Every structure is written in structure tokens, then in C-alpha cells.
Amino acid sequence: MKSLVQVALLSAMVMVLTMCSNPSEPEENTPLSEGETEELLTAMMVVLSDTMPQITAVHGPEEFTIACPEGGDARVTLSATEGAPNDSTVSITIEVGFTPSECGIKGNAGTDFTVSAEQNVDFSTKLTIQGFFADLQLEGGLDGQLDWEVENRSGMCTIDMDAEIEVETDLSGARSVMVGSACDHELTLDISSIVQPAG
């Protein structure tokens, strides 16, 4: 009898250990951290600013499909206009609509993202230069929603960012930034590589 009790106790211990090592509940679907969100947005901006993307289909003069760096694709609409309302003022307006479909992009810290969207994620900037860089104004931003996947995690990210110029001392040190919320984080994202205020 004693041996049967020992066997029963041993069996119970094995069952408990098995349950602990193989939990029936799935791992928590952790949202994107602030750092991951910055990676995601920066990786998107790299794709949006690529002047020589791999175009896989052309749908019109300003609309085409591109291959994403890590697989999948994205439909893009693009328009760029220049204006000169007077002799001392020049404006440059860029508008990009980005609709990814299982689009693979890699963050600058090595995180692999797969993003999709049913409607455009819109990126727009209007840079106005007055005089010989005597004054700079930047309008626009990044707005929309997309679905993301990172390994076994997934979720939806709402983006509402406004573009602006930051000047610390003089215009030679100005930088272009987007300020706002993305994936439930308040962020300031440097986009100086996209919008060059100093020409």
C-alpha cells in the first residue's frame, strides 16, 4: 500500500510540473513598447522616403505598388508640388498615401515588423521657406491606422503625428520632427532625413 501511495504522489507531482512547463493559456499579447513604436515609425519613414523603390505594378501617374524590404508589398500614391507665392517665399508640398499588405519592414534595432492596412496611412509635409532661410514653416504629419505583427504578437496601431520645425539657436541647427501619439505612446520622432530644412 505504501508503494502505491508513493506512486500516486509521484504521478501527481509529474502532472503539476507538466502543467507548469506547458501552460494551457497563451502568452500575453504584449502591445508595442515606446521603443518598438519608434522603430516601426522610423522603418515606415525609410520606405516612404526611398527614392528608388522596387515598383511591381503601376496603376496611374501617381499610384503604384512597391515591394517591401522584408517581403509583402504596399500600394503608394505620391504627389509633390512646388509653389512660389511671391519672390521671397518658396513652398514644397509632398503627399504620400501608404497602404501596406503583409509588408515586412525592419526597425533600426533589428525588430521585424509585418504591417497591413485597409486604408491609407497618410504622410504629408508642406515646407515653406521665406527669404534666404530667414524663416521656416512645416505643416503636415502622419495619420492613419495599421495592423502589426512582431513574432507571435499582434495588434492595431493608431497614428496621429504632426510635423513641425524645432529651432534651438538658429536655423542652421533646425530639425524636422513629428510630434504626437502612435500605438498609445506620446512621441517626438526626428524626420530631418526626410524633410531637409537647410536644403
Side-chain angles (χ1 to χ4, degrees):
M1 180 68 69
K2 184 177 180 181
S3 61
L4 290 176
V5 172
Q6 290 176 334
V7 170
L9 289 174
L10 181 60
S11 299
M13 290 178 61
V14 170
M15 289 178 64
V16 170
L17 290 173
T18 302
M19 292 175 64
C20 291
S21 61
N22 298 287
S24 58
E25 295 184 2
E27 294 182 14
E28 184 179 357
N29 190 28
T30 308
L32 293 180
S33 66
E34 182 174 328
E36 288 173 326
T37 302
E38 291 182 353
E39 273 194 273
L40 171 62
L41 297 185
T42 301
M44 284 179 55
M45 297 303 297
V46 169
V47 174
L48 292 175
S49 64
D50 187 356
T51 58
M52 297 185 66
Q54 180 184 346
I55 298 176
T56 59
V58 177
H59 311 289
E62 299 179 341
E63 187 172 3
F64 45 89
T65 297
I66 64 171
C68 293
E70 306 297 325
D73 56 33
R75 193 151 176 153
V76 175
T77 58
L78 172 65
S79 67
T81 56
E82 296 185 11
N86 55 59
D87 293 339
S88 62
T89 303
V90 175
S91 67
I92 304 169
T93 302
I94 298 174
E95 296 179 319
V96 182
F98 179 68
T99 309
S101 176
E102 298 294 322
C103 174
I105 54 180
K106 185 181 290 290
N108 52 14
T111 304
D112 290 313
F113 300 92
T114 301
V115 295
S116 298
E118 294 184 1
Q119 297 181 336
N120 285 352
V121 176
D122 294 316
F123 171 66
S124 65
T125 60
K126 180 180 180 181
L127 179 65
T128 302
I129 305 169
Q130 295 182 352
F132 188 68
F133 293 97
D135 184 45
L136 298 174
Q137 296 177 0
L138 182 64
E139 304 172 55
L142 184 67
D143 298 282
Q145 287 185 338
L146 55 79
D147 296 317
W148 58 267
E149 294 179 10
V150 175
E151 295 182 345
N152 62 339
R153 299 155 54 204
S154 62
M156 185 183 71
C157 178
T158 299
I159 305 167
D160 184 9
M161 306 280 288
D162 294 321
E164 60 184 51
I165 293 284
E166 282 191 349
V167 181
E168 294 184 358
T169 53
D170 55 48
L171 291 179
S172 64
R175 66 175 190 148
S176 305
V177 298
M178 287 194 301
V179 180
S181 63
C183 309
D184 297 322
H185 298 288
E186 297 298 320
L187 302 173
T188 298
L189 187 71
D190 194 328
I191 58 168
S192 298
S193 61
I194 312 300
V195 180
Q196 298 285 356

